[in-house]
Amino acid sequence: MNNILLATDFVDLRDRFRAATGQPIPALPPGPLPESPAQLFQQLGGGDIPEIVVIDERSGTEAALALASRLDIECPGIAVVLVSDRVAELGLSAMRAGVSDIVPTESEEDEIRAALDRAIRVTRQRAPAGLGDGTDLGAGTQSRRGQVISVVSPKGGVGKTTIAANLAVGLARSAPHSTVLVDLDLQFGDVANALNLTPEHTIVDVVQGAAARDSMVLKTFLTQHDTGLTVVCGPNSPAEADLVGVSELTHLLQTLAAEFRFVIIDTAPALTDHTLAALDMTDDLILVTSMDVPGVRGLRKELDILRDLGMGFDRRHVVVNFADTHSGLTRADVEATIGTGVDLVLPRSRATAVSINQGVPLMQNEIRDPMTKKLRRLVDRFAPAPLKEPGPAATKLGSRLGGRHRLRRGGTR
Ligand SMILES: Nc1ncnc2c1ncn2[C@@H]1O[C@H](COP(=O)(O)OP(=O)(O)O)[C@@H](O)[C@H]1O
Ligand SMILES: [Mg+2]
């Protein structure tokens, strides 16, 4: 028989199912039914992921149907069988909640077996071979791995989260359910604020337990944004950062890359072990600096370190943020100092600060602002079907200036 999980407080029902299937059947701890599949998997602890969840309607009709409905939507690989004596009364609502079958409480063993067999057959037919949600990771191509794009800088406050959130929202809008944004600023991450999300679960919950073992379970722990973007939010407190191990993080990113077309990673300032683990999997690196001397010098050092570590990144995108004509620096100054081309210059813009404070990124409602236009250009570098001309080619990067250049404080050209 298959893995079956019983959600019931009634011992007689457990005995009946055990006898019918000839196997020990795990049951959820007594108490109210879990409100979501994620809660159910948490209660399951280290147990196997079930193929069938049997919910006893006597534990609460509304809660039973609500859980069935969420399992139906979020976990297509799991069948739900309802145990109830109100078959006629509940038939329609149970059907709407995606319940495979209803079994009366006093059913004979062969009736139970038949219901379980039917449930599993139907579920196997409808579940996709992989556990993807239909996002096309490049069907027809050799690799089914999504594109990993990391946003880094040695300093805080330069716009990493702003850029990561806008890029992720822009990509999600161009291809719904294609994109996941990961908050890897494990101590002070604020992706959830930038997107006005109140997550039920954070990265701490998905690097361990059932979510770490099964991609379908993982998806039930992720947070959904109105734009169709999926988000792995940062821990609730800085102390929890230690609960995210580097190898567990690598495993999480690999799973996300197998499930989503784009994995956008927002990082903490500095090259932490977690950031380096993310960089190991990164296809496109977005390096951000503010348009000021400390920021640009910091970026130069980061580029040097990455090169020394053998992380040159052919697909590198240098973004200068907070550009304004009064900074005393020009794009050419920045390029001379960092020894490579700048791909995108983002203006200082009030609308940006307001949008982040409101939790609605500019790319979500396309507010008319010079920053929105520039961010659109960044999205178009990666979007499957650019809405406009793509930005300048990445080949602009390279050692145009060669060697190390001192930062010149120039006029505002
Ligand atoms: N181009 C910009 N113009 C004005 N404010 C900006 C701009 N980019 C970012 N900000 C604001 O600067 C602050 C820091 O940005 P954030 O993206 O959180 O930086 P980081 O993630 O690098 O620490 C935020 O309040 C954000 O709204
Ligand atoms: Mg940040």
Side-chain angles (χ1 to χ4, degrees), residues 48-345:
D48 287 340
I49 307 304
E51 279 187 284
I52 305 174
V53 175
V54 180
I55 306 177
D56 193 338
E57 180 260 322
R58 291 172 294 178
S59 307
T61 310
E62 221 171 286
L65 291 177
L67 178 61
S69 173
R70 284 195 64 174
L71 280 165
D72 181 46
I73 295 165
E74 296 175 38
C75 305
I78 296 180
V80 176
V81 170
L82 199 67
V83 176
S84 172
D85 290 325
R86 300 160 62 204
V87 180
E89 209 179 316
L90 290 180
L92 190 58
S93 354
M95 190 190 79
R96 287 184 179 143
V99 169
S100 299
D101 219 328
I102 306 183
V103 179
T105 50
E106 300 297 328
S107 297
E108 300 293 332
E109 287 173 18
D110 52 353
E111 269 182 88
I112 292 176
R113 260 197 307 274
L116 295 176
D117 280 345
R118 261 196 312 275
I120 209 70
R121 265 201 313 277
V122 171
T123 303
R124 285 192 180 156
Q125 269 168 12
R126 73 174 185 168
L131 289 166
D133 55 4
T135 56
D136 178 7
L137 286 179
T141 65
Q142 280 189 329
S143 157
R144 273 187 54 83
R145 182 184 178 278
Q147 193 172 346
V148 179
I149 305 170
S150 294
V151 184
V152 302
S153 90
K155 306 229 180 247
V158 298
K160 288 183 296 301
T161 300
T162 306
I163 290 166
N166 277 287
L167 174 62
V169 163
L171 289 172
R173 290 187 68 204
S174 69
H177 307 295
S178 63
T179 307
V180 62
L181 170 61
V182 182
D183 192 348
L184 206 50
D185 187 345
L186 294 176
Q187 288 195 313
F188 300 106
D190 47 10
V191 163
N193 286 334
L195 294 169
N196 195 22
L197 293 170
T198 312
E200 267 180 69
H201 304 282
T202 72
I203 191 166
V204 175
D205 303 307
V206 298
V207 291
Q208 58 194 9
R213 300 196 308 273
D214 186 294
S215 56
M216 177 189 65
V217 175
L218 169 64
K219 284 186 175 178
T220 68
F221 280 79
L222 306 181
T223 308
Q224 300 303 323
H225 187 247
D226 289 346
T227 53
L229 173 68
T230 302
V231 186
V232 180
C233 292
N236 291 320
S237 97
E240 288 181 2
D242 290 346
L243 300 175
V244 181
V246 171
S247 55
E248 288 87 353
L249 171 68
T250 299
H251 176 68
L252 168 69
L253 296 177
Q254 279 164 347
T255 311
L256 293 174
E259 294 290 324
F260 290 88
R261 186 166 188 162
F262 298 106
V263 181
I264 313 297
I265 305 176
D266 182 25
T267 63
L271 287 171
T272 62
D273 286 348
H274 292 96
T275 301
L276 287 171
L279 292 189
D280 267 339
M281 293 196 51
T282 294
D283 302 299
D284 286 79
L285 185 65
I286 299 180
L287 291 140
V288 187
T289 178
S290 46
M291 200 163 205
D292 52 46
V293 173
V296 176
R297 286 209 169 123
L299 183 60
R300 168 79 217 199
K301 284 185 199 155
E302 177 145 357
L303 283 165
D304 287 346
I305 292 168
L306 289 175
R307 196 197 48 228
D308 292 348
L309 291 171
M311 294 177 157
F313 287 101
D314 295 338
R315 281 147 61 181
R316 203 168 59 174
H317 314 259
V318 176
V319 178
V320 175
N321 193 13
F322 292 107
D324 68 37
T325 48
H326 307 295
S327 71
L329 294 178
T330 64
R331 179 181 189 141
D333 294 329
V334 177
E335 291 181 337
T337 301
I338 62 174
T340 187
V342 167
D343 294 272
L344 191 66
V345 177

